Amino acid sequence: MHIIHRNHSTNLPESPYSATSSAVKDPSHLPMGHHICFSVSNFDSFLHSLKEKGIETFQKTLPDGKVKQVFFFDPDGNGLEVASRS
């Protein structure tokens, strides 16, 4: 698990659905300071579960090919990342 400390000087919205700024609803544009990451042992099964529930996701694999990542939002608009290291 990693938690990213938000830098308040960047003027990012308080959350993706903040009333004080434009919404960030696309997980591919999740601001760096707006998520927490968890690790799973079976990434493909977890990803399948998200898709079955109709959760919009953004996936990427790091250039070294060893880390798969999926980004999405919880029902309250909090950014989440789940990753798996090969």
PDB file of all heavy atoms in Angstrom, residues 43-67:
ATOM      1  N   PHE A  43      -4.099  -9.838  -9.994  1.00  0.00           N
ATOM      2  CA  PHE A  43      -4.520  -8.600 -10.646  1.00  0.00           C
ATOM      3  C   PHE A  43      -5.634  -8.836 -11.659  1.00  0.00           C
ATOM      4  O   PHE A  43      -6.623  -8.110 -11.687  1.00  0.00           O
ATOM      5  CB  PHE A  43      -3.311  -7.950 -11.326  1.00  0.00           C
ATOM      6  CG  PHE A  43      -3.624  -6.613 -11.946  1.00  0.00           C
ATOM      7  CD1 PHE A  43      -3.619  -5.463 -11.176  1.00  0.00           C
ATOM      8  CD2 PHE A  43      -3.915  -6.508 -13.292  1.00  0.00           C
ATOM      9  CE1 PHE A  43      -3.901  -4.227 -11.740  1.00  0.00           C
ATOM     10  CE2 PHE A  43      -4.200  -5.277 -13.873  1.00  0.00           C
ATOM     11  CZ  PHE A  43      -4.193  -4.136 -13.086  1.00  0.00           C
ATOM     12  N   ASP A  44      -5.479  -9.853 -12.495  1.00  0.00           N
ATOM     13  CA  ASP A  44      -6.465 -10.098 -13.549  1.00  0.00           C
ATOM     14  C   ASP A  44      -7.840 -10.422 -12.977  1.00  0.00           C
ATOM     15  O   ASP A  44      -8.857  -9.957 -13.484  1.00  0.00           O
ATOM     16  CB  ASP A  44      -5.990 -11.206 -14.483  1.00  0.00           C
ATOM     17  CG  ASP A  44      -4.754 -10.800 -15.272  1.00  0.00           C
ATOM     18  OD1 ASP A  44      -4.615  -9.591 -15.574  1.00  0.00           O
ATOM     19  OD2 ASP A  44      -3.929 -11.679 -15.581  1.00  0.00           O
ATOM     20  N   SER A  45      -7.893 -11.182 -11.911  1.00  0.00           N
ATOM     21  CA  SER A  45      -9.161 -11.504 -11.258  1.00  0.00           C
ATOM     22  C   SER A  45      -9.791 -10.248 -10.658  1.00  0.00           C
ATOM     23  O   SER A  45     -11.001 -10.035 -10.769  1.00  0.00           O
ATOM     24  CB  SER A  45      -8.938 -12.554 -10.167  1.00  0.00           C
ATOM     25  OG  SER A  45     -10.138 -12.802  -9.466  1.00  0.00           O
ATOM     26  N   PHE A  46      -8.964  -9.410 -10.037  1.00  0.00           N
ATOM     27  CA  PHE A  46      -9.472  -8.170  -9.453  1.00  0.00           C
ATOM     28  C   PHE A  46     -10.023  -7.261 -10.536  1.00  0.00           C
ATOM     29  O   PHE A  46     -11.106  -6.700 -10.404  1.00  0.00           O
ATOM     30  CB  PHE A  46      -8.364  -7.449  -8.667  1.00  0.00           C
ATOM     31  CG  PHE A  46      -8.832  -6.172  -8.047  1.00  0.00           C
ATOM     32  CD1 PHE A  46      -9.559  -6.194  -6.865  1.00  0.00           C
ATOM     33  CD2 PHE A  46      -8.592  -4.950  -8.654  1.00  0.00           C
ATOM     34  CE1 PHE A  46     -10.021  -5.024  -6.296  1.00  0.00           C
ATOM     35  CE2 PHE A  46      -9.055  -3.773  -8.093  1.00  0.00           C
ATOM     36  CZ  PHE A  46      -9.771  -3.812  -6.908  1.00  0.00           C
ATOM     37  N   LEU A  47      -9.294  -7.129 -11.642  1.00  0.00           N
ATOM     38  CA  LEU A  47      -9.734  -6.298 -12.760  1.00  0.00           C
ATOM     39  C   LEU A  47     -11.050  -6.814 -13.338  1.00  0.00           C
ATOM     40  O   LEU A  47     -11.963  -6.034 -13.627  1.00  0.00           O
ATOM     41  CB  LEU A  47      -8.649  -6.275 -13.832  1.00  0.00           C
ATOM     42  CG  LEU A  47      -8.841  -5.326 -14.987  1.00  0.00           C
ATOM     43  CD1 LEU A  47      -8.971  -3.885 -14.500  1.00  0.00           C
ATOM     44  CD2 LEU A  47      -7.674  -5.452 -15.955  1.00  0.00           C
ATOM     45  N   HIS A  48     -11.164  -8.115 -13.478  1.00  0.00           N
ATOM     46  CA  HIS A  48     -12.404  -8.728 -13.966  1.00  0.00           C
ATOM     47  C   HIS A  48     -13.571  -8.382 -13.037  1.00  0.00           C
ATOM     48  O   HIS A  48     -14.679  -8.072 -13.499  1.00  0.00           O
ATOM     49  CB  HIS A  48     -12.232 -10.248 -14.079  1.00  0.00           C
ATOM     50  CG  HIS A  48     -13.443 -10.964 -14.551  1.00  0.00           C
ATOM     51  ND1 HIS A  48     -13.870 -10.922 -15.865  1.00  0.00           N
ATOM     52  CD2 HIS A  48     -14.334 -11.732 -13.890  1.00  0.00           C
ATOM     53  CE1 HIS A  48     -14.970 -11.630 -15.984  1.00  0.00           C
ATOM     54  NE2 HIS A  48     -15.271 -12.135 -14.796  1.00  0.00           N
ATOM     55  N   SER A  49     -13.338  -8.411 -11.742  1.00  0.00           N
ATOM     56  CA  SER A  49     -14.371  -8.077 -10.758  1.00  0.00           C
ATOM     57  C   SER A  49     -14.839  -6.627 -10.917  1.00  0.00           C
ATOM     58  O   SER A  49     -16.040  -6.339 -10.843  1.00  0.00           O
ATOM     59  CB  SER A  49     -13.833  -8.321  -9.352  1.00  0.00           C
ATOM     60  OG  SER A  49     -14.771  -7.963  -8.381  1.00  0.00           O
ATOM     61  N   LEU A  50     -13.905  -5.695 -11.135  1.00  0.00           N
ATOM     62  CA  LEU A  50     -14.274  -4.295 -11.343  1.00  0.00           C
ATOM     63  C   LEU A  50     -15.144  -4.145 -12.582  1.00  0.00           C
ATOM     64  O   LEU A  50     -16.167  -3.458 -12.572  1.00  0.00           O
ATOM     65  CB  LEU A  50     -13.026  -3.415 -11.489  1.00  0.00           C
ATOM     66  CG  LEU A  50     -12.169  -3.190 -10.261  1.00  0.00           C
ATOM     67  CD1 LEU A  50     -10.927  -2.383 -10.643  1.00  0.00           C
ATOM     68  CD2 LEU A  50     -12.944  -2.498  -9.166  1.00  0.00           C
ATOM     69  N   LYS A  51     -14.737  -4.800 -13.663  1.00  0.00           N
ATOM     70  CA  LYS A  51     -15.470  -4.695 -14.925  1.00  0.00           C
ATOM     71  C   LYS A  51     -16.872  -5.292 -14.805  1.00  0.00           C
ATOM     72  O   LYS A  51     -17.819  -4.756 -15.360  1.00  0.00           O
ATOM     73  CB  LYS A  51     -14.676  -5.339 -16.041  1.00  0.00           C
ATOM     74  CG  LYS A  51     -13.395  -4.561 -16.320  1.00  0.00           C
ATOM     75  CD  LYS A  51     -12.853  -4.832 -17.678  1.00  0.00           C
ATOM     76  CE  LYS A  51     -11.609  -4.043 -17.935  1.00  0.00           C
ATOM     77  NZ  LYS A  51     -11.828  -2.632 -18.145  1.00  0.00           N
ATOM     78  N   GLU A  52     -16.998  -6.412 -14.068  1.00  0.00           N
ATOM     79  CA  GLU A  52     -18.318  -7.024 -13.842  1.00  0.00           C
ATOM     80  C   GLU A  52     -19.263  -6.076 -13.121  1.00  0.00           C
ATOM     81  O   GLU A  52     -20.465  -6.098 -13.346  1.00  0.00           O
ATOM     82  CB  GLU A  52     -18.178  -8.302 -13.009  1.00  0.00           C
ATOM     83  CG  GLU A  52     -17.789  -9.501 -13.787  1.00  0.00           C
ATOM     84  CD  GLU A  52     -17.830 -10.755 -12.928  1.00  0.00           C
ATOM     85  OE1 GLU A  52     -17.675 -10.655 -11.691  1.00  0.00           O
ATOM     86  OE2 GLU A  52     -18.009 -11.826 -13.509  1.00  0.00           O
ATOM     87  N   LYS A  53     -18.701  -5.224 -12.277  1.00  0.00           N
ATOM     88  CA  LYS A  53     -19.504  -4.266 -11.516  1.00  0.00           C
ATOM     89  C   LYS A  53     -19.750  -2.977 -12.290  1.00  0.00           C
ATOM     90  O   LYS A  53     -20.392  -2.062 -11.791  1.00  0.00           O
ATOM     91  CB  LYS A  53     -18.825  -3.968 -10.185  1.00  0.00           C
ATOM     92  CG  LYS A  53     -18.798  -5.150  -9.242  1.00  0.00           C
ATOM     93  CD  LYS A  53     -18.022  -4.832  -7.989  1.00  0.00           C
ATOM     94  CE  LYS A  53     -18.135  -5.899  -6.957  1.00  0.00           C
ATOM     95  NZ  LYS A  53     -17.432  -7.115  -7.195  1.00  0.00           N
ATOM     96  N   GLY A  54     -19.205  -2.865 -13.502  1.00  0.00           N
ATOM     97  CA  GLY A  54     -19.407  -1.686 -14.332  1.00  0.00           C
ATOM     98  C   GLY A  54     -18.603  -0.473 -13.893  1.00  0.00           C
ATOM     99  O   GLY A  54     -18.960   0.656 -14.204  1.00  0.00           O
ATOM    100  N   ILE A  55     -17.520  -0.699 -13.180  1.00  0.00           N
ATOM    101  CA  ILE A  55     -16.689   0.401 -12.692  1.00  0.00           C
ATOM    102  C   ILE A  55     -15.743   0.844 -13.803  1.00  0.00           C
ATOM    103  O   ILE A  55     -15.015   0.022 -14.381  1.00  0.00           O
ATOM    104  CB  ILE A  55     -15.909  -0.021 -11.434  1.00  0.00           C
ATOM    105  CG1 ILE A  55     -16.909  -0.340 -10.313  1.00  0.00           C
ATOM    106  CG2 ILE A  55     -14.909   1.052 -11.006  1.00  0.00           C
ATOM    107  CD1 ILE A  55     -16.298  -0.951  -9.079  1.00  0.00           C
ATOM    108  N   GLU A  56     -15.748   2.143 -14.111  1.00  0.00           N
ATOM    109  CA  GLU A  56     -14.867   2.689 -15.135  1.00  0.00           C
ATOM    110  C   GLU A  56     -13.437   2.685 -14.619  1.00  0.00           C
ATOM    111  O   GLU A  56     -13.165   3.144 -13.507  1.00  0.00           O
ATOM    112  CB  GLU A  56     -15.291   4.104 -15.495  1.00  0.00           C
ATOM    113  CG  GLU A  56     -14.511   4.685 -16.642  1.00  0.00           C
ATOM    114  CD  GLU A  56     -14.986   6.068 -17.035  1.00  0.00           C
ATOM    115  OE1 GLU A  56     -16.067   6.494 -16.609  1.00  0.00           O
ATOM    116  OE2 GLU A  56     -14.237   6.722 -17.778  1.00  0.00           O
ATOM    117  N   THR A  57     -12.527   2.168 -15.433  1.00  0.00           N
ATOM    118  CA  THR A  57     -11.138   2.040 -15.010  1.00  0.00           C
ATOM    119  C   THR A  57     -10.185   2.582 -16.072  1.00  0.00           C
ATOM    120  O   THR A  57     -10.555   2.755 -17.237  1.00  0.00           O
ATOM    121  CB  THR A  57     -10.763   0.565 -14.762  1.00  0.00           C
ATOM    122  OG1 THR A  57     -10.853  -0.158 -16.000  1.00  0.00           O
ATOM    123  CG2 THR A  57     -11.645  -0.074 -13.714  1.00  0.00           C
ATOM    124  N   PHE A  58      -8.967   2.824 -15.637  1.00  0.00           N
ATOM    125  CA  PHE A  58      -7.860   3.145 -16.533  1.00  0.00           C
ATOM    126  C   PHE A  58      -6.728   2.218 -16.134  1.00  0.00           C
ATOM    127  O   PHE A  58      -6.351   2.161 -14.963  1.00  0.00           O
ATOM    128  CB  PHE A  58      -7.431   4.609 -16.390  1.00  0.00           C
ATOM    129  CG  PHE A  58      -6.156   4.925 -17.116  1.00  0.00           C
ATOM    130  CD1 PHE A  58      -6.123   4.952 -18.492  1.00  0.00           C
ATOM    131  CD2 PHE A  58      -4.995   5.188 -16.416  1.00  0.00           C
ATOM    132  CE1 PHE A  58      -4.944   5.233 -19.173  1.00  0.00           C
ATOM    133  CE2 PHE A  58      -3.816   5.480 -17.089  1.00  0.00           C
ATOM    134  CZ  PHE A  58      -3.789   5.504 -18.471  1.00  0.00           C
ATOM    135  N   GLN A  59      -6.196   1.468 -17.108  1.00  0.00           N
ATOM    136  CA  GLN A  59      -5.131   0.516 -16.820  1.00  0.00           C
ATOM    137  C   GLN A  59      -3.834   0.951 -17.471  1.00  0.00           C
ATOM    138  O   GLN A  59      -3.841   1.554 -18.537  1.00  0.00           O
ATOM    139  CB  GLN A  59      -5.492  -0.852 -17.400  1.00  0.00           C
ATOM    140  CG  GLN A  59      -6.767  -1.428 -16.862  1.00  0.00           C
ATOM    141  CD  GLN A  59      -7.201  -2.597 -17.710  1.00  0.00           C
ATOM    142  OE1 GLN A  59      -6.466  -3.560 -17.863  1.00  0.00           O
ATOM    143  NE2 GLN A  59      -8.391  -2.515 -18.274  1.00  0.00           N
ATOM    144  N   LYS A  60      -2.752   0.600 -16.808  1.00  0.00           N
ATOM    145  CA  LYS A  60      -1.452   0.832 -17.424  1.00  0.00           C
ATOM    146  C   LYS A  60      -0.444  -0.146 -16.837  1.00  0.00           C
ATOM    147  O   LYS A  60      -0.624  -0.665 -15.743  1.00  0.00           O
ATOM    148  CB  LYS A  60      -1.063   2.295 -17.284  1.00  0.00           C
ATOM    149  CG  LYS A  60      -0.138   2.685 -16.231  1.00  0.00           C
ATOM    150  CD  LYS A  60       0.129   4.198 -16.280  1.00  0.00           C
ATOM    151  CE  LYS A  60       1.173   4.564 -15.288  1.00  0.00           C
ATOM    152  NZ  LYS A  60       1.407   5.978 -15.153  1.00  0.00           N
ATOM    153  N   THR A  61       0.593  -0.390 -17.602  1.00  0.00           N
ATOM    154  CA  THR A  61       1.707  -1.221 -17.167  1.00  0.00           C
ATOM    155  C   THR A  61       2.954  -0.363 -17.228  1.00  0.00           C
ATOM    156  O   THR A  61       3.178   0.344 -18.217  1.00  0.00           O
ATOM    157  CB  THR A  61       1.861  -2.448 -18.090  1.00  0.00           C
ATOM    158  OG1 THR A  61       0.639  -3.195 -18.072  1.00  0.00           O
ATOM    159  CG2 THR A  61       2.990  -3.352 -17.621  1.00  0.00           C
ATOM    160  N   LEU A  62       3.752  -0.399 -16.182  1.00  0.00           N
ATOM    161  CA  LEU A  62       4.976   0.393 -16.165  1.00  0.00           C
ATOM    162  C   LEU A  62       5.921  -0.098 -17.258  1.00  0.00           C
ATOM    163  O   LEU A  62       5.868  -1.264 -17.662  1.00  0.00           O
ATOM    164  CB  LEU A  62       5.638   0.318 -14.795  1.00  0.00           C
ATOM    165  CG  LEU A  62       4.847   0.959 -13.650  1.00  0.00           C
ATOM    166  CD1 LEU A  62       5.647   0.930 -12.360  1.00  0.00           C
ATOM    167  CD2 LEU A  62       4.449   2.385 -13.985  1.00  0.00           C
ATOM    168  N   PRO A  63       6.786   0.792 -17.748  1.00  0.00           N
ATOM    169  CA  PRO A  63       7.659   0.438 -18.870  1.00  0.00           C
ATOM    170  C   PRO A  63       8.483  -0.838 -18.670  1.00  0.00           C
ATOM    171  O   PRO A  63       8.758  -1.534 -19.630  1.00  0.00           O
ATOM    172  CB  PRO A  63       8.573   1.664 -19.012  1.00  0.00           C
ATOM    173  CG  PRO A  63       7.758   2.785 -18.478  1.00  0.00           C
ATOM    174  CD  PRO A  63       6.948   2.200 -17.364  1.00  0.00           C
ATOM    175  N   ASP A  64       8.843  -1.152 -17.432  1.00  0.00           N
ATOM    176  CA  ASP A  64       9.632  -2.368 -17.203  1.00  0.00           C
ATOM    177  C   ASP A  64       8.786  -3.631 -17.341  1.00  0.00           C
ATOM    178  O   ASP A  64       9.296  -4.743 -17.336  1.00  0.00           O
ATOM    179  CB  ASP A  64      10.327  -2.334 -15.847  1.00  0.00           C
ATOM    180  CG  ASP A  64       9.365  -2.345 -14.663  1.00  0.00           C
ATOM    181  OD1 ASP A  64       8.139  -2.494 -14.849  1.00  0.00           O
ATOM    182  OD2 ASP A  64       9.851  -2.197 -13.530  1.00  0.00           O
ATOM    183  N   GLY A  65       7.442  -3.455 -17.459  1.00  0.00           N
ATOM    184  CA  GLY A  65       6.534  -4.587 -17.633  1.00  0.00           C
ATOM    185  C   GLY A  65       6.256  -5.381 -16.384  1.00  0.00           C
ATOM    186  O   GLY A  65       5.516  -6.351 -16.397  1.00  0.00           O
ATOM    187  N   LYS A  66       6.836  -4.973 -15.258  1.00  0.00           N
ATOM    188  CA  LYS A  66       6.707  -5.747 -14.027  1.00  0.00           C
ATOM    189  C   LYS A  66       5.549  -5.306 -13.140  1.00  0.00           C
ATOM    190  O   LYS A  66       5.144  -6.036 -12.244  1.00  0.00           O
ATOM    191  CB  LYS A  66       8.005  -5.681 -13.226  1.00  0.00           C
ATOM    192  CG  LYS A  66       9.160  -6.355 -13.919  1.00  0.00           C
ATOM    193  CD  LYS A  66      10.410  -6.288 -13.082  1.00  0.00           C
ATOM    194  CE  LYS A  66      11.564  -6.953 -13.797  1.00  0.00           C
ATOM    195  NZ  LYS A  66      12.802  -6.873 -13.023  1.00  0.00           N
ATOM    196  N   VAL A  67       5.031  -4.103 -13.353  1.00  0.00           N
ATOM    197  CA  VAL A  67       3.961  -3.590 -12.498  1.00  0.00           C
ATOM    198  C   VAL A  67       2.750  -3.237 -13.354  1.00  0.00           C
ATOM    199  O   VAL A  67       2.842  -2.435 -14.273  1.00  0.00           O
ATOM    200  CB  VAL A  67       4.414  -2.353 -11.698  1.00  0.00           C
ATOM    201  CG1 VAL A  67       3.265  -1.811 -10.861  1.00  0.00           C
ATOM    202  CG2 VAL A  67       5.599  -2.693 -10.804  1.00  0.00           C
TER     203      VAL A  67
END
